[in-house]
Amino acid sequence: MLFLTFAVTVAGLKLGSFETDFATVWNALFNYNPEDPAHFAVLHLRLPRLLLAICVGGSLAFCGYLMQAMINNALADPYILGTASGASFGASFCFFAFTNLTVFGIYLPPFAALLGSFVVTIIVVALGTRSGQLIPSQMLLAGIALTSLIGALTSLITFLSSSEGKLKSVIFWAMGGFEKASWESLPYPAVALLLALVIFMFMQKRLNVLLLGPERAKMLGVNVAQTRWIILLTVSVVTGFAVALSGPVGFVGLIIPHVTRGLLGITGKLNLIFCALTGGLFMLVCDLLSRIVFPPAGLPVGVVTSLFGVPFFVYLLLKKNYKFG
């Protein structure tokens, strides 16, 4: 998986608005010449974009894995449960509400997205809880309803915007993509994902026990309520930072956890790391395909992931015969 990720990254460094050979890529990385436009494009435009794609793909896949383990439902992901939609609304509101998006050297949209994702997640959990018990089907339906509401609110503030520049910026951002990638913003999703992976590497057994259901997990000594709150907080933070920089990119958190469990088993020790790596690779491939199909800027990457995700979602519904209620 690491080798494939490296190979696709190198291919992405070569692909752009003008042809770049591997010698130029090598020189840009190890013998950088600031006066060479090709070197600038490789190091400051293409490489941050590719690294952001890896971080966002890994973050969404990782969060999808946690969500599915938390409520023991294979249809859960950060978008279906409304977490990513809340992050999208927070970031969109920030774009419209603030003229200067950087205050005291801090880029505001990731933190606005973090707040939005956390608030929406709390509301979904509250609506999905009955008599102190989390009802997965009720939580899914609450997430779908809130996602629709948030989409309407985002459309409303977009419609009411009087700034043509901000309007164009948010519309392109809402399609999903990595054009806003930069070395300054990259640490936000990268550090959040890395810390989350470290935390849950020590909680892997808890996640596996949760798959047995809350009652059995309690009997085996797992503090189910505490574990769920840790998961929800982590998913809110990681998703918020990822979505703030990439825009809405759906279905990654739905597809990749299934691929991971299919290859390594349901309780594999390396599932979390493999899931994050696979998510990053999947996002890289989607970004590469978007630029090959529609050069040089590329299609919105959210369109590409949806082309993979919608058939997969339908396949899950038909194969598992899920019913709500």
Side-chain angles (χ1 to χ4, degrees):
M1 192 59 63
L2 285 170
F3 173 78
L4 288 173
T5 302
F6 175 77
V8 177
T9 301
V10 172
L13 288 174
K14 190 174 179 295
L15 186 67
S17 56
F18 53 90
E19 188 65 24
T20 308
D21 54 30
F22 288 113
T24 303
V25 171
W26 177 270
N27 288 327
L29 295 176
F30 299 102
N31 299 292
Y32 178 67
N33 180 6
E35 297 181 358
D36 190 331
H39 285 201
F40 180 86
V42 169
L43 196 63
H44 292 285
L45 298 178
R46 297 178 190 175
L47 185 56
R49 175 186 180 127
L50 296 171
L51 293 178
L52 180 61
I54 293 173
C55 289
V56 170
S59 297
L60 295 177
F62 172 78
C63 291
Y65 190 97
L66 293 183
M67 284 285 198
Q68 291 174 13
M70 184 186 72
I71 65 174
N72 199 10
N73 191 303
L75 296 180
D77 85 334
Y79 282 88
I80 293 177
L81 292 179
T83 305
S85 300
S88 298
F89 177 78
S92 298
F93 182 82
C94 186
F95 282 128
F96 284 119
F98 297 97
T99 304
N100 187 6
L101 297 178
T102 302
V103 177
F104 300 116
I106 298 175
Y107 189 54
L108 295 179
F111 294 95
L114 171 61
L115 178 62
S117 65
F118 187 70
V119 169
V120 171
T121 301
I122 294 299
I123 296 174
V124 169
V125 171
L127 294 175
T129 302
R130 184 180 299 168
S131 302
Q133 296 294 322
L134 193 63
I135 312 299
S137 60
Q138 191 167 318
M139 190 174 175
L140 286 170
L141 290 173
I144 293 170
L146 272 177
T147 297
S148 299
L149 175 61
I150 292 167
L153 291 175
T154 304
S155 299
L156 177 62
I157 63 174
T158 302
F159 177 77
L160 295 176
S161 173
S162 58
S163 172
E164 185 176 344
K166 289 185 177 182
L167 187 61
K168 288 182 178 179
S169 178
V170 170
I171 288 175
F172 281 109
W173 172 84
M175 295 179 184
F178 308 112
E179 289 76 15
K180 291 184 177 294
S182 67
W183 290 113
E184 290 76 18
S185 60
L186 193 59
Y188 293 106
V191 172
L193 176 59
L194 182 61
L195 291 177
L197 280 170
V198 171
I199 291 171
F200 279 93
M201 284 299 293
F202 294 98
M203 296 180 62
Q204 178 74 58
K205 290 183 179 179
R206 287 201 208 180
L207 295 179
N208 294 339
V209 174
L210 277 180
L211 296 175
L212 300 174
E215 297 301 326
R216 290 186 180 181
K218 287 180 183 178
M219 293 175 61
L220 293 172
V222 173
N223 188 329
V224 176
Q226 181 193 67
T227 303
R228 281 176 169 170
W229 277 111
I230 293 174
I231 290 174
L232 288 170
L233 180 61
T234 302
V235 168
S236 298
V237 172
V238 175
T239 301
F241 284 152
V243 171
L245 298 176
S246 68
V249 182
F251 294 104
V252 182
L254 177 68
I255 298 174
I256 304 304
H258 288 280
V259 174
T260 300
R261 288 190 291 266
L263 293 175
L264 299 186
I266 296 176
T267 58
K269 292 182 179 180
L270 298 177
N271 277 13
L272 289 173
I273 294 177
F274 187 83
C275 186
L277 280 173
T278 308
L281 176 61
F282 175 72
M283 194 67 81
L284 273 178
V285 171
C286 289
D287 184 53
L288 206 62
L289 286 175
S290 75
R291 288 192 280 162
I292 291 173
V293 172
F294 194 75
L299 293 170
V301 73
V303 174
V304 181
T305 58
S306 296
L307 293 177
F308 287 104
V310 172
F312 188 83
F313 186 81
V314 173
Y315 162 76
L316 284 178
L317 287 174
L318 295 177
K319 180 181 178 183
K320 302 294 185 180
N321 193 27
Y322 285 106
K323 296 179 180 178
F324 293 102

